[in-house]
Amino acid sequence: MREGPDIAHIASLVGDPARANMLTALVGGTALTATELALEAGVTLQTASSHLSKLTEGGLLKLSVQGRHRYFALAGPNIAAMLEAIMGVAAVVGTRRVRPGPRDDAMREARVCYDHLAGELAVAMFDRLLAEDAIAETADGIRLGRNGHSFFAARGIDVGALQGLRRPVCRACLDWSVRRSHLAGSLGAAILDVLFKERWARRQKKGRTITFSPEGRRAFAQAFLPEAVPPWPEEQRLVASI
């Protein structure tokens, strides 16, 4: 018998279509009930309960009980990163499930990936952070760059406080729609918090899509996007102010 992690067991948990739909519905970092996940998976509540038990016992989901309600969420950011990576592979070699309409474009542009920003804007921001030496690439992954403390302090983020947390400050996460890296870790989560705190953007009530106001677009671009690449031409996808 081979030694090491048993990826076949994890693959079998994720590989069932109903369970895959449930996990995908939770990538945005929200917690959902069994009834809501049954609807996402297109199965009965009884069948959903069986799937949720397997996912929880397998360590992919965690259960929270509030009063009479039971909520399921991904067990951690590493599970979300795994799912995003699988989505990236599926986008290249797998069967595509097309959902036409402007919501697709909006989701590719900006969305929540567990607790951080993903999509085209997140990838562009990642490039800017590398260019500014706010983060740096190493053989072992992503680390804080030489200018990291000053760069993020100017944008209201205390990197020193993040370094005291258990989770990594910087981590590269494969973006399934762009198939390049965006920023995860506690720093990625802190940047998303800034977007919401400053009211530059809001999350749509249903789903993972993030919508920027015109003023928020300009503020975000000035703070985090490369100046050489105008992110939003005036004629493209303007939305109503928050």
Side-chain angles (χ1 to χ4, degrees):
M1 179 181 291
R2 292 180 179 271
E3 296 182 356
D6 182 6
I7 65 172
H9 175 61
I10 300 300
S12 68
L13 289 173
V14 178
D16 180 88
R19 292 196 289 268
N21 286 334
M22 290 178 176
L23 291 167
T24 301
L26 296 170
V27 170
T30 54
L32 298 175
T33 65
T35 300
E36 292 169 326
L37 290 168
L39 291 173
E40 290 286 344
V43 297
T44 65
L45 181 57
Q46 182 178 4
T47 301
S49 297
S50 175
H51 286 309
L52 291 170
S53 294
K54 292 179 181 179
L55 291 171
T56 304
E57 292 169 2
L60 300 186
L61 297 184
K62 60 183 177 182
L63 172 65
S64 299
V65 179
Q66 296 184 9
R68 295 183 300 171
H69 299 288
R70 294 158 53 89
Y71 294 95
F72 293 88
L74 296 184
N78 59 323
I79 308 302
M82 176 189 70
L83 295 171
E84 280 277 323
I86 293 174
M87 291 177 194
V89 174
V92 178
V93 301
T95 301
R96 295 198 175 194
R97 298 180 297 175
V98 179
R99 294 182 180 180
R103 288 180 63 87
D104 255 0
D105 290 337
M107 189 172 180
R108 281 192 293 268
E109 181 181 77
R111 65 184 181 276
V112 173
C113 175
Y114 192 68
D115 63 355
H116 56 271
L117 182 67
E120 297 165 349
L121 303 186
V123 172
M125 179 180 70
F126 190 86
D127 291 342
R128 165 79 184 280
L129 298 179
L130 287 172
E132 296 283 350
D133 204 6
I135 61 174
E137 290 182 300
T138 71
D140 298 325
I142 302 298
R143 62 167 176 79
L144 197 66
R146 289 177 297 177
N147 301 325
H149 283 273
S150 59
F151 182 91
F152 292 110
R155 290 151 178 82
I157 298 173
D158 181 1
V159 177
L162 301 180
Q163 291 175 320
L165 303 177
R166 291 184 178 180
R167 65 185 299 191
V169 174
C170 303
R171 185 174 61 78
C173 183
L174 179 65
D175 195 293
W176 70 265
S177 58
V178 183
R179 296 192 287 280
R180 291 178 54 212
S181 293
H182 60 245
L183 182 64
S186 60
L187 183 54
I191 292 173
L192 184 61
D193 286 343
V194 168
L195 264 62
F196 295 148
K197 180 180 178 181
E198 297 294 334
R199 298 182 63 82
W200 294 347
R202 59 180 172 83
R203 180 173 177 171
Q204 291 188 2
K205 292 182 179 180
K206 294 184 178 180
R208 300 164 55 194
T209 303
I210 293 177
T211 304
F212 284 79
S213 70
E215 294 81 2
R217 288 171 178 261
R218 288 190 288 270
F220 176 70
Q222 182 177 4
F224 290 109
L225 293 183
E227 295 180 2
V229 184
W232 299 289
E234 288 297 322
E235 70 272 16
Q236 291 183 0
R237 298 198 294 269
L238 289 180
V239 296
S241 240
I242 293 176

